[in-house]
Amino acid sequence: MKWVVGNWKMHTTPSEAKRLALRLRQELQSELERSPRVRVVVCPPFTNLEAVRCVLRGSPIGWGAQNCHEELEGAYTGEVSARMLAELECQLVVVGHSERRRYAHENDLQIAHKLQRVLEFGMRPVLCIGETLTERQAGQTEHVLERQLVGVLGRAPASVWEKLLVAYEPVWAIGTGIAARPEQIAEAHATVRRCLMQLGAPEQVPILYGGSVGARNARDILAVPAVDGVLVGTASLNEGEFCALTRAAAAERWC
């Protein structure tokens, strides 16, 4: 199984999201129906989820959310709960993205609570982890990844492994146009796999790579044996590029 998850971040209005989702469905539906071992999910802004749901319902392309709050309801102005997302039939929810850690100052405990809420409502959490450039240059990549995984998953219930996806996203590669090299990805994913197994996870928990993924490098990244899919940012907003990298994920040699 290969996963292709598109993170639209703070892009598109509802009408723009509807048009993009429609184009993706028109371009990819028949191919994905022939390639059941490829899972494609797009994550638009909260305001666009209903528009995207209306277009993609009944298709092989799923939809999810970029974040959720750790509480189910309450006086949290501007926040969205997992309960709300479940009613919109979201299949997955991204938690712990580096931009949330950086701009919203989210910590591992808060992310752990969000992940638990996602699980409670039957959705898949996509847990993002990754090191900064300073941390990599200091030789701390392995330590950072282990700290983040243990900090979020150390007290998670055993049921987490059935739904969890982990996305290794080196912070220094996100939005820079410079993806990690295949050998760097393989090394980081080996660290993630080892830590997950120490925490009790089975080997089939998918580990995705994210960070400047596009049509030009998707094949090389997906060819790394430890990579179970990609989390795509900017390229997911370009119909042609996203379709191209999805077709790369559907190639028989990895599926």
Side-chain angles (χ1 to χ4, degrees), residues 33-200:
E33 288 172 345
R34 294 193 301 269
S35 303
R37 296 190 64 192
V38 177
R39 295 286 301 276
V40 178
V41 182
V42 295
C43 298
F46 293 134
T47 53
N48 303 350
L49 278 168
E50 178 61 15
V52 169
R53 178 174 77 140
C54 290
V55 172
L56 296 181
R57 185 186 288 152
S59 82
I61 305 174
W63 58 93
Q66 300 172 20
N67 185 41
C68 72
H69 194 268
E70 61 268 31
E71 298 296 340
L72 295 184
E73 60 184 11
Y76 303 102
T77 302
E79 296 291 347
V80 174
S81 74
R83 177 169 169 262
M84 298 170 182
L85 298 175
E87 190 160 315
L88 287 170
E89 300 176 287
C90 288
Q91 296 176 9
L92 55 78
V93 180
V94 178
V95 295
H97 194 282
S98 65
E99 290 161 357
R100 296 295 307 173
R101 294 176 190 259
R102 178 181 178 186
Y103 300 124
H105 308 292
E106 293 182 4
N107 57 43
D108 290 335
L109 181 59
Q110 186 178 8
I111 294 164
H113 289 156
K114 293 185 179 204
L115 184 143
Q116 181 59 37
R117 292 303 191 190
V118 173
L119 292 172
E120 285 176 18
F121 284 88
M123 298 175 288
R124 286 181 174 270
V126 182
L127 172 61
C128 296
I129 58 173
E131 81 284 4
T132 64
L133 181 59
T134 300
E135 290 167 337
R136 171 164 282 275
Q137 291 174 335
Q140 296 178 343
T141 297
E142 183 173 338
H143 170 71
V144 170
L145 298 181
E146 290 177 349
R147 186 193 72 224
Q148 292 174 337
L149 285 168
V150 172
V152 177
L153 299 172
R155 297 182 181 180
S159 58
V160 68
W161 311 126
E162 300 174 14
K163 294 281 191 179
L164 179 69
L165 288 85
V166 176
Y168 168 60
E169 286 201 303
V171 179
W172 49 271
I174 298 172
T176 65
I178 304 172
R181 299 191 305 274
E183 61 270 23
Q184 292 174 315
I185 297 172
E187 184 179 68
H189 280 225
T191 296
V192 174
R193 180 66 67 196
R194 182 174 64 253
C195 187
L196 286 173
M197 294 184 71
Q198 289 171 349
L199 289 167

Side-chain angles (χ1 to χ4, degrees), residues 4-8 169 209-210 213-214 230-236 242 245:
V4 179
V5 180
N7 178 9
W8 293 2
E169 286 201 303
Y209 169 79
V213 179
V230 287
L231 179 56
V232 187
T234 302
S236 67
F242 191 68
L245 64 88

Side-chain angles (χ1 to χ4, degrees), residues 2 180-190 207 209 217-229 254:
K2 293 289 188 184
R181 299 191 305 274
E183 61 270 23
Q184 292 174 315
I185 297 172
E187 184 179 68
H189 280 225
I207 305 174
Y209 169 79
N217 59 13
R219 285 185 176 273
D220 290 339
I221 292 170
L222 290 164
V224 177
V227 173
D228 298 309
W254 6 98

